Amino acid sequence: MKTVVVRNIERADAAACKILTGLGVSTSHEALGRSGLMKPYMRPIWPGAAICGPAVTIMAQPGDNWMIHVAIEQCKPGDVLVVGVTADNTDGMFGDLLATSLKARGGVGLVIDAGVRDVRILTQMGFPVWSRAISAKGTVKATLGSVNVPVVCAGALVHPGDVIVADDDGVVVVPRLEAATVAEAARKREANEEEKRRRLASGELGLDMYAMRDGLAKAGLVYRDED
Amino acid sequence: MKTVVVRNIERADAAACKILTGLGVSTSHEALGRSGLMKPYMRPIWPGAAICGPAVTIMAQPGDNWMIHVAIEQCKPGDVLVVGVTADNTDGMFGDLLATSLKARGGVGLVIDAGVRDVRILTQMGFPVWSRAISAKGTVKATLGSVNVPVVCAGALVHPGDVIVADDDGVVVVPRLEAATVAEAARKREANEEEKRRRLASGELGLDMYAMRDGLAKAGLVYRDED
Amino acid sequence: MKTVVVRNIERADAAACKILTGLGVSTSHEALGRSGLMKPYMRPIWPGAAICGPAVTIMAQPGDNWMIHVAIEQCKPGDVLVVGVTADNTDGMFGDLLATSLKARGGVGLVIDAGVRDVRILTQMGFPVWSRAISAKGTVKATLGSVNVPVVCAGALVHPGDVIVADDDGVVVVPRLEAATVAEAARKREANEEEKRRRLASGELGLDMYAMRDGLAKAGLVYRDED
Amino acid sequence: MKTVVVRNIERADAAACKILTGLGVSTSHEALGRSGLMKPYMRPIWPGAAICGPAVTIMAQPGDNWMIHVAIEQCKPGDVLVVGVTADNTDGMFGDLLATSLKARGGVGLVIDAGVRDVRILTQMGFPVWSRAISAKGTVKATLGSVNVPVVCAGALVHPGDVIVADDDGVVVVPRLEAATVAEAARKREANEEEKRRRLASGELGLDMYAMRDGLAKAGLVYRDED
Amino acid sequence: MKTVVVRNIERADAAACKILTGLGVSTSHEALGRSGLMKPYMRPIWPGAAICGPAVTIMAQPGDNWMIHVAIEQCKPGDVLVVGVTADNTDGMFGDLLATSLKARGGVGLVIDAGVRDVRILTQMGFPVWSRAISAKGTVKATLGSVNVPVVCAGALVHPGDVIVADDDGVVVVPRLEAATVAEAARKREANEEEKRRRLASGELGLDMYAMRDGLAKAGLVYRDED
Amino acid sequence: MKTVVVRNIERADAAACKILTGLGVSTSHEALGRSGLMKPYMRPIWPGAAICGPAVTIMAQPGDNWMIHVAIEQCKPGDVLVVGVTADNTDGMFGDLLATSLKARGGVGLVIDAGVRDVRILTQMGFPVWSRAISAKGTVKATLGSVNVPVVCAGALVHPGDVIVADDDGVVVVPRLEAATVAEAARKREANEEEKRRRLASGELGLDMYAMRDGLAKAGLVYRDED
């Protein structure tokens, strides 16, 4: 495994991050052409958490949190720490001390394809974490990994500086160079949904609003009454 | 796969639904002779949700929510939408727009053997969903399925019009024609439990209340003090 | 399987339990030399639950809760009931009636490598449970097991009288005879963390506080700027 | 749960079974409109096993094989025993003695949504089993179930007398009344594939043979050379 | 975690091991009162492997195989190496070099609640392994564990010197001091089964051979013909 | 999702592929610094399969095999087809017809993070496949994906032209530009192991051969005889 720390990475456009924060994971994922999602086993440790910011990435060995200390030094205000591991693992690689340190550097949250612990304190701190598991399992500091290299986290490819959008629906990765375009597409999609929501609430059917009846009939759908 | 929409299904007795609403999943399941449960991976998206109503059923392809639009037209006030899929899937096949539409038709909840998204908004709407997963993964509208045919959902067989009881303990299916009998049995069971609860709270042991000591001895149970 | 009920077990030191209650699972697990944890699939049924007490152990057949009735008679105030099963199982082996009975005997919580039901009532009662699943599946009373023998629960070995510490981070087992030593080590560790927390909150890096830079360089870590 | 044994069930057409035997699971599943499959966790205990026959169904309690004895009496030569259980289970509910008995009655195989044991002897006997697990875990004979009622097995609905087709690709259920139609459709599909196989083997591309290029272009596919 | 190597352990009776070898896992498990089984995810890396011998136990950190080297020195001819880990793990902690070394010491097989690699060579060597996974993932030698202490392996408690019986049906642990009794019980059970096998093969039903009809009727089983 | 087909990709050095073929997955993974492995759920459909070649990559929608047809046109003799999907899926996206076509183009194998079917015929053809599942589930041709873009497959990042090494131990990805270096390192490692194997076979302990005794003692390992 490459063991390197890359400094001074390019980060995604701050304006785009701001827009995506308000729109959330599902809308961002759709605006991205239905890609970039992490697996649904990634869950927030407390409900209602919602963040958006550029990724500082870590490739770590399972059960070894040495590189998290290294990565925190590379964080700037607004960053999201993203931790991938080289084999499936649920150990508690992050707890309240690391959160205190990351928060002091301006980090806004953690996304980790492993476990997290001290979740009651993290919740009291209002520090948001999306993880694969909650586990008290302690870790070692024995083997190097890398910081700010491309990593696979929960099935998604993350480059340093990519936008991480995370909320109750999960986590999506928006490539850095597409952030502005995706933010604009997401904004339009959301505006469009407001009108739809109003019509559906008034009782109009999706079948009519989306003009689906012809397509369904052509595909062969038949209706019949119960015998 | 059969692709048909059955209209005007028979629904379970409304009075029975009303009784089962108050009694909940565990009691209904026991009253049904310990059957009819969906698998325990079916969880509510917010705690405290509790519903009961006749099923409008959907057999859908994984990752394809076309038939949900079709099914909503078939819903009447009080109905519960039940979605089975033809292969294991966690995609977010249902979100706030569909919930808005279903609610406008009087639908009281969703039970889906796949994923759901927009869970923060659904929670704010107070719209109850039991699902296998929470996922932002977008879906397509490409392949037909069926509405109001018998479906397998999370391991349970559901006929259209069967009673769906769902709460924090999971989801149980009560066959339509047995609804009244089961409601009566559940009511009796519950009444019976009140007295038991009072006796146990006062310190009486289950061993004595249920007269288990003889049976245990006969089965060969021995007591000894620690060495 | 041995079928025996052992009475009058030795219980861990009450003073040690008191100390560990305040320190929690992660600290206790570290103080124990990073061992004794149950698997992370063991989750509390309501957030914020935290208990500590000596174990009354049960080895049960999956889907059979006969021995839980037997074990409750062996409980003293402050005890934690721990249920292991002989094969993976998620059935709802424990509900509000058993909780009422256990609470009446002074039991402070349940740890079960299977399912639990009536979770809304248990939550209203403030009765804490850590389980593998929530399930309404009813159980039988057909086969004997044992009470107060060594059991494997969620991957951890539990002897009767061992200390069970459980909170939002999971469940850890502290051997009875090591309880006082571990409590003392945990107390020291916690005291030590206060100072660290303060320094990290002020912006000091873990890299410096733990003097990691030399070790990292020696292990071969290199830094470079992004190309 | 209903506890009944239904005798003298109608069985699917023998001629249709014969045709489907040769065509296998994937072809039968396609001919059925891509439905009827059991979940892919159902695997044969030895490679190369392939059977086809009408189902004698069992709904059993997990870890209880009493009803298998009951069901064997209802089997006729050529039948396949299909066992569903009321909760996820991997216990070894079937072994070499039951296989000996079933074989003596003319049964041609077992499909069980639980575990099986004595697999070395079963393999030596050439007795085919598709199961969810291999496990030596012993079972009890304590609770009734039903024989020849509709059951859910590994996610598929099976009515007594339906055709079970099973081979290295898994298990598919063909409804009894559709057996002849499906067999005919499967036969045509297979004949059709022979010609395709020959053309592809000669180097013709699927893109051309299936005339996909226009559809792909219309959907927006673009080609470019590597930078 | 205790870090100790215990030398000169007591081993189970060799005569008992010899008897259990021929009888296999399912029979031994039954003779033991249906206990002692490891979870069914433990599978042999090649079919037909069957071993029986006293356990040399290892408690290791996941992904760290240092203690396996330590343990091999403690092995005597006929021993089975049993590896438990402190958290779920699938890394390839054992390969052909360790197998060569263990075999040279007379070790007859490995049971590991983690991964194994070089499986093609191990198969060619005829070296039997039961593991949770096959994985090439490399490991480190960084943290101590223990040898010949009680360990939990795949859900079963193993004391050093206990008898490990493993074959195509899985792995069972027979406590050292019960080995002779269990071997005798297993032998009787097996003898008893020969006669049953003959009767069932001749067409006699289990219903009659085990005299089940009365019990079934008393439990309420009813027969009816299909409508 | 990007929908593009990249033609004329650079492929890894043929000489390096040749070397890695003989050395296998575990050795290649170690030579790569213990990285690049796919998750251990990727298993060969028949034992003994072993391949090595440059990757032609596909990012596909789950249950949609349209892009596999597109990708086969881009294959050259010696290539390995690698299929990632945008959400967890086990459908049978590849069968004997596609294998016939791929083989006719010179493709040497398939690595797919989904299901495969017709495994008996694929085995008879000697066509090697590593997959997550075996499933007869049919697929559609409805949504575009991409060919020869970077993809995540079973947790590993694969660029087009990277070397895929696959055998009974799993699948590892060697980056294209590192192929020659890794092949050389792997060759040395293997040469080194021959001597070790010989010494261990003669009874020398790893403890001595690797000079571990000092390190173990320094880490605090203690030996004691059984009480």
Side-chain angles (χ1 to χ4, degrees):
Chain A
M1 194 168 64
K2 286 189 223 75
T3 54
V4 69
V5 180
V6 179
R7 288 177 301 206
N8 304 317
I9 58 167
E10 293 280 334
R11 284 166 170 83
D13 181 51
C17 285
K18 209 166 167 182
I19 294 170
L20 291 169
T21 307
L23 298 175
V25 171
S26 293
T27 299
S28 302
H29 158 69
E30 288 284 345
L32 194 55
R34 288 185 189 151
S35 69
L37 271 188
M38 291 192 187
K39 305 218 175 203
Y41 62 67
M42 295 296 283
R43 298 299 305 146
I45 60 169
W46 43 272
I51 60 170
C52 178
V56 166
T57 64
I58 302 175
M59 179 47 58
Q61 295 293 346
D64 190 314
N65 68 0
W66 214 8
M67 300 313 287
I68 299 183
H69 289 278
V70 173
I72 287 176
E73 189 179 27
Q74 305 305 319
C75 286
K76 293 192 174 169
D79 284 352
V80 177
L81 210 54
V82 176
V83 184
V85 287
T86 60
D88 282 358
N89 183 261
T90 60
D91 295 353
M93 294 172 65
F94 187 96
D96 73 315
L97 287 186
L98 281 167
T100 300
S101 180
L102 179 52
K103 199 176 175 182
R105 305 289 292 186
V108 298
L110 172 77
V111 171
I112 184 166
D113 193 4
V116 65
R117 63 184 188 178
D118 304 325
V119 295
R120 188 167 41 165
I121 304 179
L122 294 178
T123 302
Q124 287 162 356
M125 290 171 64
F127 190 85
V129 176
W130 284 256
S131 73
R132 170 183 206 129
I134 292 169
S135 170
K137 182 78 171 73
T139 47
V140 295
K141 290 164 187 46
T143 311
L144 293 185
S146 285
V147 172
N148 283 332
V149 298
V151 303
V152 174
C153 179
L157 175 58
V158 190
H159 288 84
D162 283 351
V163 183
I164 303 299
V165 189
D167 62 21
D168 287 320
D169 283 355
V171 185
V172 69
V173 185
V174 179
R176 180 170 64 85
L177 297 175
E178 300 176 41
T181 319
V182 169
E184 179 56 20
R187 209 188 46 72
K188 277 193 189 145
R189 185 182 160 89
E190 179 61 22
N192 194 11
E193 294 218 332
E194 260 320 307
E195 168 66 7
K196 288 183 193 167
R197 198 172 284 117
R198 200 191 48 71
R199 288 168 67 181
L200 293 169
S202 76
E204 188 173 347
L205 286 167
L207 288 180
D208 298 315
M209 192 175 79
Y210 298 109
M212 287 175 173
R213 294 189 193 272
D214 275 9
L216 287 162
K218 202 173 299 179
L221 191 66
V222 294
Y223 287 78
R224 66 169 175 76
D225 285 339
E226 194 170 41
D227 308 325
Chain B
M1 193 168 62
K2 286 191 223 74
T3 54
V4 68
V5 181
V6 178
R7 289 177 301 205
N8 305 317
I9 57 167
E10 292 282 333
R11 284 165 170 82
D13 180 51
C17 286
K18 209 166 168 182
I19 294 170
L20 292 169
T21 307
L23 297 175
V25 171
S26 293
T27 300
S28 302
H29 158 69
E30 289 284 347
L32 193 56
R34 290 186 188 151
S35 68
L37 271 189
M38 293 193 186
K39 306 217 176 204
Y41 62 67
M42 295 295 284
R43 299 298 304 145
I45 59 169
W46 44 271
I51 61 170
C52 178
V56 166
T57 65
I58 301 176
M59 179 47 58
Q61 295 292 346
D64 191 314
N65 68 359
W66 214 8
M67 299 314 287
I68 299 182
H69 288 278
V70 173
I72 287 175
E73 188 178 29
Q74 305 305 320
C75 286
K76 293 193 175 168
D79 284 353
V80 177
L81 209 54
V82 176
V83 184
V85 287
T86 60
D88 282 359
N89 183 261
T90 61
D91 295 353
M93 293 172 66
F94 187 94
D96 74 314
L97 288 186
L98 281 167
T100 299
S101 180
L102 179 52
K103 199 177 174 181
R105 304 290 292 186
V108 299
L110 172 78
V111 172
I112 184 167
D113 193 4
V116 64
R117 64 185 189 179
D118 304 325
V119 294
R120 188 165 43 165
I121 304 180
L122 295 177
T123 303
Q124 286 163 355
M125 290 171 64
F127 189 86
V129 176
W130 285 256
S131 72
R132 170 183 207 130
I134 292 170
S135 169
K137 182 76 169 74
T139 46
V140 295
K141 290 163 186 47
T143 311
L144 293 185
S146 286
V147 173
N148 283 333
V149 298
V151 303
V152 174
C153 180
L157 175 57
V158 190
H159 287 86
D162 283 352
V163 183
I164 303 299
V165 188
D167 62 22
D168 287 320
D169 283 354
V171 185
V172 69
V173 184
V174 179
R176 180 171 63 86
L177 296 175
E178 301 176 39
T181 319
V182 169
E184 180 54 19
R187 208 187 47 72
K188 275 192 190 147
R189 184 183 161 88
E190 180 60 21
N192 194 11
E193 296 218 331
E194 261 319 308
E195 169 65 6
K196 289 183 191 166
R197 198 171 285 118
R198 200 191 49 72
R199 288 169 66 182
L200 293 169
S202 75
E204 188 173 348
L205 286 168
L207 289 180
D208 298 314
M209 193 176 78
Y210 297 110
M212 289 174 172
R213 294 188 193 270
D214 275 7
L216 288 163
K218 201 173 300 177
L221 191 65
V222 294
Y223 287 78
R224 66 168 174 79
D225 285 338
E226 194 170 39
D227 309 325
Chain C
M1 195 168 62
K2 285 189 224 76
T3 54
V4 69
V5 180
V6 179
R7 289 178 299 205
N8 304 317
I9 58 167
E10 292 282 333
R11 284 167 169 82
D13 179 52
C17 286
K18 209 167 168 182
I19 294 170
L20 291 169
T21 307
L23 298 175
V25 171
S26 293
T27 299
S28 303
H29 158 69
E30 289 284 346
L32 193 56
R34 289 185 189 150
S35 69
L37 271 187
M38 292 193 187
K39 306 219 175 204
Y41 62 67
M42 295 296 283
R43 299 297 305 145
I45 60 169
W46 44 273
I51 60 170
C52 178
V56 166
T57 65
I58 302 175
M59 180 47 59
Q61 295 293 347
D64 190 313
N65 67 359
W66 214 8
M67 299 313 286
I68 299 183
H69 289 277
V70 173
I72 287 175
E73 188 180 27
Q74 305 305 319
C75 287
K76 293 192 175 168
D79 283 353
V80 177
L81 210 54
V82 176
V83 184
V85 287
T86 60
D88 282 358
N89 182 261
T90 60
D91 294 354
M93 292 172 65
F94 187 95
D96 72 315
L97 287 186
L98 280 167
T100 299
S101 180
L102 178 52
K103 199 177 175 181
R105 305 290 290 188
V108 298
L110 171 77
V111 171
I112 183 167
D113 194 4
V116 63
R117 64 184 189 179
D118 304 325
V119 294
R120 188 165 42 164
I121 304 179
L122 295 178
T123 303
Q124 287 162 355
M125 289 171 66
F127 190 86
V129 176
W130 284 256
S131 72
R132 170 185 206 128
I134 292 169
S135 168
K137 183 75 170 73
T139 47
V140 296
K141 289 163 188 46
T143 311
L144 293 186
S146 285
V147 172
N148 282 334
V149 298
V151 302
V152 174
C153 180
L157 175 57
V158 190
H159 288 86
D162 283 352
V163 184
I164 304 298
V165 189
D167 62 21
D168 288 320
D169 284 354
V171 185
V172 69
V173 185
V174 179
R176 180 170 64 86
L177 296 175
E178 302 176 40
T181 320
V182 169
E184 180 55 20
R187 207 189 46 74
K188 277 193 190 145
R189 184 182 161 89
E190 180 60 21
N192 194 10
E193 295 218 331
E194 261 319 308
E195 168 65 6
K196 289 184 192 165
R197 198 172 284 118
R198 199 192 49 72
R199 287 169 68 182
L200 293 169
S202 75
E204 189 173 346
L205 285 168
L207 289 180
D208 298 315
M209 193 176 78
Y210 297 110
M212 288 176 172
R213 294 190 193 271
D214 274 8
L216 288 162
K218 202 173 297 177
L221 191 64
V222 295
Y223 287 79
R224 66 168 176 77
D225 284 339
E226 194 170 42
D227 309 323
Chain D
M1 193 169 61
K2 285 189 224 75
T3 53
V4 69
V5 180
V6 179
R7 289 176 300 204
N8 304 318
I9 57 167
E10 292 281 333
R11 285 166 169 83
D13 179 53
C17 286
K18 209 166 169 183
I19 295 170
L20 291 169
T21 306
L23 299 175
V25 172
S26 293
T27 299
S28 302
H29 159 68
E30 289 283 346
L32 194 55
R34 291 185 188 150
S35 68
L37 271 188
M38 292 192 187
K39 306 218 176 205
Y41 63 67
M42 296 295 284
R43 299 299 304 145
I45 59 169
W46 44 272
I51 60 170
C52 179
V56 166
T57 66
I58 301 176
M59 179 49 58
Q61 294 294 344
D64 190 314
N65 68 359
W66 214 7
M67 299 313 287
I68 299 182
H69 289 278
V70 174
I72 288 175
E73 188 179 29
Q74 306 304 320
C75 287
K76 293 192 175 168
D79 284 352
V80 178
L81 209 53
V82 176
V83 184
V85 287
T86 61
D88 281 359
N89 182 262
T90 60
D91 294 354
M93 294 171 65
F94 187 95
D96 72 315
L97 286 187
L98 281 167
T100 299
S101 180
L102 179 52
K103 199 176 174 181
R105 304 290 291 188
V108 298
L110 172 78
V111 171
I112 184 167
D113 194 4
V116 64
R117 65 185 188 179
D118 304 325
V119 294
R120 188 166 42 166
I121 303 179
L122 295 177
T123 303
Q124 286 162 356
M125 290 171 65
F127 190 85
V129 177
W130 285 255
S131 72
R132 169 184 207 129
I134 292 169
S135 169
K137 182 77 171 75
T139 48
V140 296
K141 289 164 187 49
T143 312
L144 293 186
S146 285
V147 172
N148 283 333
V149 299
V151 302
V152 174
C153 179
L157 175 58
V158 189
H159 287 85
D162 284 352
V163 183
I164 304 298
V165 189
D167 62 21
D168 287 320
D169 283 354
V171 185
V172 69
V173 185
V174 179
R176 179 171 64 87
L177 297 175
E178 301 176 40
T181 320
V182 169
E184 179 56 20
R187 208 189 45 74
K188 276 193 190 146
R189 184 181 161 90
E190 181 60 21
N192 194 11
E193 295 218 331
E194 260 318 309
E195 168 66 7
K196 289 183 192 166
R197 199 171 284 119
R198 200 193 47 72
R199 288 168 67 181
L200 293 169
S202 75
E204 188 173 347
L205 285 168
L207 289 180
D208 298 314
M209 192 176 80
Y210 297 109
M212 289 175 172
R213 294 189 193 272
D214 274 8
L216 288 163
K218 202 173 298 177
L221 191 65
V222 295
Y223 287 78
R224 67 169 175 77
D225 285 340
E226 194 170 40
D227 309 324
Chain E
M1 195 167 64
K2 286 191 225 73
T3 53
V4 68
V5 181
V6 178
R7 288 177 299 205
N8 304 318
I9 58 167
E10 292 281 335
R11 285 167 169 81
D13 180 52
C17 286
K18 208 165 168 184
I19 293 171
L20 292 169
T21 307
L23 298 174
V25 171
S26 294
T27 299
S28 302
H29 158 70
E30 288 285 345
L32 193 55
R34 289 185 189 151
S35 68
L37 271 188
M38 294 194 185
K39 306 217 177 205
Y41 62 67
M42 296 295 284
R43 299 299 305 147
I45 60 169
W46 44 272
I51 61 171
C52 178
V56 166
T57 64
I58 302 176
M59 180 48 57
Q61 295 292 346
D64 191 313
N65 67 359
W66 214 7
M67 300 313 287
I68 299 182
H69 289 277
V70 173
I72 287 175
E73 188 179 28
Q74 305 305 320
C75 287
K76 294 193 175 166
D79 284 352
V80 177
L81 209 54
V82 175
V83 184
V85 287
T86 61
D88 282 358
N89 182 261
T90 60
D91 295 354
M93 293 172 67
F94 187 95
D96 73 315
L97 287 186
L98 281 167
T100 299
S101 180
L102 179 52
K103 199 176 175 182
R105 304 289 292 186
V108 298
L110 171 78
V111 171
I112 184 167
D113 193 4
V116 65
R117 63 184 189 180
D118 304 326
V119 294
R120 188 165 40 165
I121 303 179
L122 295 177
T123 303
Q124 287 162 355
M125 289 171 65
F127 190 86
V129 176
W130 285 256
S131 72
R132 169 183 206 131
I134 292 168
S135 169
K137 182 76 171 73
T139 47
V140 296
K141 289 164 187 48
T143 310
L144 294 185
S146 286
V147 173
N148 282 333
V149 298
V151 303
V152 174
C153 179
L157 176 57
V158 189
H159 288 85
D162 283 351
V163 182
I164 304 298
V165 188
D167 62 21
D168 287 321
D169 283 354
V171 185
V172 70
V173 184
V174 179
R176 179 170 64 86
L177 296 175
E178 302 176 40
T181 320
V182 169
E184 179 55 20
R187 208 189 45 74
K188 276 193 191 146
R189 185 183 160 88
E190 180 61 22
N192 194 11
E193 295 217 331
E194 261 319 307
E195 168 66 6
K196 288 184 192 166
R197 198 172 284 118
R198 200 193 47 74
R199 288 169 67 182
L200 293 169
S202 75
E204 188 173 348
L205 286 168
L207 289 179
D208 297 315
M209 191 175 79
Y210 297 109
M212 289 176 173
R213 294 188 192 272
D214 274 8
L216 289 162
K218 201 174 300 178
L221 190 65
V222 294
Y223 288 78
R224 67 168 175 77
D225 284 339
E226 194 169 41
D227 307 325
Chain F
M1 194 169 62
K2 285 191 225 74
T3 54
V4 68
V5 180
V6 178
R7 288 177 300 206
N8 303 319
I9 57 166
E10 292 281 333
R11 283 167 170 83
D13 180 52
C17 285
K18 209 165 167 182
I19 294 170
L20 292 169
T21 307
L23 299 174
V25 170
S26 293
T27 299
S28 302
H29 158 69
E30 289 284 345
L32 194 56
R34 290 186 188 149
S35 68
L37 271 188
M38 293 192 187
K39 307 218 174 203
Y41 62 67
M42 296 295 284
R43 299 298 305 145
I45 59 169
W46 45 272
I51 59 170
C52 178
V56 166
T57 65
I58 301 176
M59 180 47 58
Q61 296 293 346
D64 190 315
N65 67 359
W66 215 7
M67 299 313 287
I68 299 182
H69 289 278
V70 173
I72 288 175
E73 188 179 27
Q74 305 306 319
C75 286
K76 294 192 174 169
D79 284 353
V80 177
L81 210 54
V82 176
V83 184
V85 288
T86 61
D88 282 358
N89 182 261
T90 60
D91 294 353
M93 294 172 65
F94 187 95
D96 73 315
L97 287 186
L98 281 166
T100 300
S101 181
L102 178 53
K103 199 176 175 182
R105 305 289 291 187
V108 298
L110 172 77
V111 171
I112 183 166
D113 193 3
V116 64
R117 63 184 189 179
D118 304 326
V119 295
R120 188 166 41 166
I121 304 179
L122 295 177
T123 302
Q124 288 162 355
M125 289 171 65
F127 190 87
V129 176
W130 285 257
S131 72
R132 170 183 207 130
I134 292 169
S135 169
K137 182 77 171 72
T139 48
V140 296
K141 290 164 187 48
T143 312
L144 293 185
S146 285
V147 172
N148 283 333
V149 298
V151 303
V152 174
C153 179
L157 174 58
V158 189
H159 288 85
D162 283 353
V163 183
I164 304 299
V165 189
D167 62 22
D168 286 321
D169 283 354
V171 185
V172 69
V173 184
V174 179
R176 179 170 64 86
L177 297 175
E178 301 176 40
T181 320
V182 169
E184 179 55 21
R187 207 187 46 73
K188 276 191 190 148
R189 185 183 160 88
E190 180 61 20
N192 194 11
E193 295 218 331
E194 261 319 308
E195 168 65 6
K196 289 183 193 167
R197 198 172 285 117
R198 199 191 48 73
R199 289 168 66 182
L200 294 169
S202 75
E204 188 173 348
L205 285 169
L207 288 180
D208 298 314
M209 190 176 79
Y210 298 109
M212 288 175 173
R213 294 189 193 270
D214 274 8
L216 288 163
K218 202 173 299 177
L221 191 65
V222 295
Y223 287 78
R224 66 169 176 79
D225 284 340
E226 195 170 40
D227 308 325

